[in-house]
Amino acid sequence: MPDGTRKFSTETVTRLVMWSQALFTAGNSLTTGGFLNYFIYEFEQSALYLAAIQVAPECAESLGVFTRRILNWFRGRKRLWICGLVVARLTALVIPAVFLFLPDRFNTLSLPITLCAIIVWYLAQGIAYCSYISWLSDLVPEQNWGTFFSRRRIAGLIVSMIVPISFGLLRSRLISKWSGDWELWSYLIIFGMGAALALSSILPMLSLPESHTKLEPKVTPRNSRTRWKDLSLSFRWLLCSRWWLAFFQGLTQVALFKFSVGVLHVSLETYYVLTAVTLLLQIISARWAGTMCDRDHDRKVTIFGLLIVSCAMPFWIAATPEFWWLIVGSNLAWGAFGMVNVGLQNLTLKLAPVSDNTLHISLSRQWSGLIAGLAGLLGGYYLDWGLSQSDISPGWVYLTIFGVSWLGRVSAPLLMLPVVQPRTRVSVNDDSLGVDDGDRISEPDRTPV
């Protein structure tokens, strides 16, 4: 171990990462998701534009596939993560500033600038995310990935239950008493606080050591290309399942939001309460999934979780303004996403080369986002067209898109069946990282189980 490099235990790394994730999630929840969607919805209600706003993050993040090449310039995943995160959060501040200083030009200039800011924001954040997860996979031994990544996710989920609801209710109460520009100023203040919290997530991680990407000698960052045949058969099936699911989930991005707000009249406060129920269940399911993944049950956990979350759509199909509360059933089913997210991430890392895994992370997570984004545009276009037809009932328009999405979601687990569960790799302790990994054996074991 190099002189001056502190040695960290897995528990110490986990604790620091959980603090970092909590801070980032607190900031991110104040600038994304329902908060951002309701903000934009106040000024522009076109389904196609809302779709563009919602899918822009996924499309921009998909360019994280180039993280491997960019690492050739930064020569450090920790350094690239910090730089990407700083650029992303500063760019996010453009959105409230534009709406504040151009209040009379919402539909001509403010909205396009907002869209461009979102693209730059998530492009930088997508690259930062790939570097971050790849870096973390070296700081913790593989036999602990399940527990480690589930705890990281749980830290974020706990904050996601508290911060958005608290700020959302506080803002609603304040703007009901104050008039004028306070509504816009409140967004600027909250966005600023969100950016500060997200940037502060860097602080707990500064003490952790950098790790150098162990690139495969046959493929260098300068000329690397994504080749389907170079990926393992199991990883290809994993991608097929993720991409298939992403398409049919993305198809209803705008439909669910417009149906919830425009038809069921679900308020922002109710939205946050329902989201909190989902997040609470995800905490429980993620914790269980982490333990099971450490026992090499990643594949079983993922398939089981996918089957549960596919049960959400029938509740939306049955919901009406009088029986809007039926969508609570979908929030209960979505609680299994805690299992799916942990299982899919672990499978992605276990089926990828050690350290040199940014390409696999991007293909698995961020290209799924791209596909969901494109499907979201398709769904938004369909809604605009269907709702404009006088001879078609709006109910049938929503019923059609919900039904198609349900069929796609319920069939996604079938594509996971050919995936071979990899056995956890263990290797000798790497003192160059300054991390105490505990007991390991010398030879990696990749025997399928």
Side-chain angles (χ1 to χ4, degrees):
M1 182 173 66
D3 293 339
T5 301
R6 182 183 171 187
K7 201 172 187 180
F8 294 86
S9 67
T10 298
E11 283 300 319
T12 300
V13 174
T14 303
R15 184 170 60 253
L16 293 174
V17 169
M18 290 180 68
W19 275 111
S20 176
Q21 186 64 34
L23 290 170
F24 176 82
T25 303
N28 198 52
S29 64
L30 296 179
T31 55
T32 60
F35 186 86
L36 180 61
N37 291 337
Y38 274 83
F39 173 39
I40 299 297
Y41 190 76
E42 292 182 15
F43 307 111
E44 176 59 58
Q45 299 186 18
S46 163
L48 187 58
Y49 189 85
L50 287 173
I53 290 293
Q54 290 187 359
V55 305
E58 286 92 349
C59 293
E61 280 196 331
S62 68
L63 295 178
V65 72
F66 296 109
T67 302
R68 196 170 186 271
R69 294 188 180 187
I70 297 173
L71 278 171
N72 193 44
W73 304 333
F74 279 79
R75 298 188 180 281
R77 287 169 285 180
K78 176 182 177 181
R79 187 179 298 110
L80 180 56
W81 166 62
I82 292 175
C83 292
L85 186 57
V86 170
V87 171
R89 303 320 302 191
L90 293 180
T91 304
L93 292 176
V94 171
I95 298 173
V98 165
F99 279 84
L100 180 66
F101 296 114
L102 296 174
D104 299 324
R105 304 168 69 182
F106 284 130
N107 296 317
T108 58
L109 187 58
S110 298
L111 293 173
I113 292 177
T114 298
L115 184 59
C116 291
I118 289 176
I119 291 173
V120 176
W121 168 10
Y122 278 90
L123 171 60
Q125 189 161 287
I127 293 173
Y129 177 85
C130 278
S131 301
Y132 181 65
I133 297 299
S134 180
W135 175 42
L136 293 184
S137 69
D138 272 354
L139 295 180
V140 174
E142 186 171 328
Q143 59 263 37
N144 299 129
W145 279 353
T147 300
F148 170 71
F149 283 111
S150 68
R151 288 183 180 178
R152 170 183 168 270
R153 185 166 296 277
I154 288 171
L157 291 172
I158 292 174
V159 173
S160 295
M161 283 198 309
I162 300 173
V163 174
I165 296 177
S166 301
F167 275 82
L169 294 175
L170 177 62
R171 178 182 173 275
S172 296
R173 182 176 295 274
L174 291 177
I175 63 176
S176 66
K177 297 180 179 179
W178 298 337
S179 58
D181 294 333
W182 168 246
E183 184 174 356
L184 282 172
W185 273 106
S186 67
Y187 279 117
L188 182 62
I189 293 171
I190 292 176
F191 263 73
M193 294 178 63
L197 285 169
L199 288 174
S200 68
S201 67
I202 296 173
L203 299 178
M205 305 296 289
L206 291 178
S207 61
L208 294 179
E210 177 67 271
S211 61
H212 300 287
T213 307
K214 303 170 185 176
L215 298 173
E216 293 292 336
K218 295 181 180 179
V219 185
T220 63
R222 190 179 300 278
N223 60 8
S224 61
R225 295 180 181 177
T226 304
R227 295 177 180 176
W228 186 257
K229 65 180 182 179
D230 295 333
L231 303 174
S232 70
L233 182 60
S234 286
F235 188 71
R236 279 182 271 171
W237 278 110
L238 172 66
L239 291 182
C240 287
S241 179
R242 288 206 72 167
W243 293 351
W244 180 269
L245 178 66
F247 178 84
F248 288 100
Q249 285 187 170
L251 201 62
T252 55
Q253 283 186 79
V254 178
L256 291 175
F257 182 76
K258 284 185 71 70
F259 188 74
S260 174
V261 177
V263 178
L264 302 183
H265 308 296
V266 176
S267 66
L268 179 60
E269 291 77 12
T270 302
Y271 167 86
Y272 279 135
V273 172
L274 293 177
T275 300
V277 172
T278 299
L279 296 177
L280 178 61
L281 293 175
Q282 286 187 16
I283 290 173
I284 298 172
S285 63
R287 184 66 188 92
W288 175 79
T291 301
M292 296 302 292
C293 287
D294 283 344
R295 299 173 183 173
D296 286 337
H297 294 305
D298 317 67
R299 174 178 168 275
K300 293 179 181 178
V301 164
T302 304
I303 293 176
F304 185 45
L306 288 174
L307 289 173
I308 296 176
V309 299
S310 67
C311 297
M313 295 312 299
F315 294 101
W316 286 91
I317 294 174
T320 63
E322 295 78 18
F323 298 98
W324 67 267
W325 46 265
L326 287 174
I327 64 173
V328 174
S330 68
N331 289 88
L332 297 178
W334 285 336
F337 268 119
M339 301 161 54
V340 174
N341 292 332
V342 172
L344 284 176
Q345 180 166 282
N346 265 39
L347 274 177
T348 297
L349 293 174
K350 288 183 177 181
L351 293 171
V354 177
S355 298
D356 185 17
N357 49 20
T358 56
L359 179 62
H360 291 70
I361 294 170
S362 180
L363 286 175
S364 180
R365 178 185 181 272
Q366 296 174 333
W367 275 47
S368 297
L370 173 62
I371 293 171
L374 296 177
L377 286 175
L378 179 61
Y381 175 81
Y382 167 76
L383 274 185
D384 272 346
W385 173 83
L387 296 177
S388 66
Q389 304 299 308
S390 59
D391 57 337
I392 301 178
S393 168
W396 279 106
V397 174
Y398 285 110
L399 181 63
T400 300
I401 196 169
F402 289 163
V404 171
S405 176
W406 181 26
L407 292 176
R409 293 173 190 234
V410 78
S411 57
L414 298 176
L415 297 175
M416 286 292 298
L417 295 179
V419 175
V420 177
Q421 169 67 50
R423 194 181 291 276
T424 299
R425 297 166 295 198
V426 286
S427 57
V428 294
N429 183 46
D430 187 355
D431 286 343
S432 65
L433 298 180
V435 181
D436 181 7
D437 295 337
D439 295 333
R440 290 184 172 188
I441 61 176
S442 59
E443 293 295 329
D445 184 355
R446 296 289 286 166
T447 305
V449 295

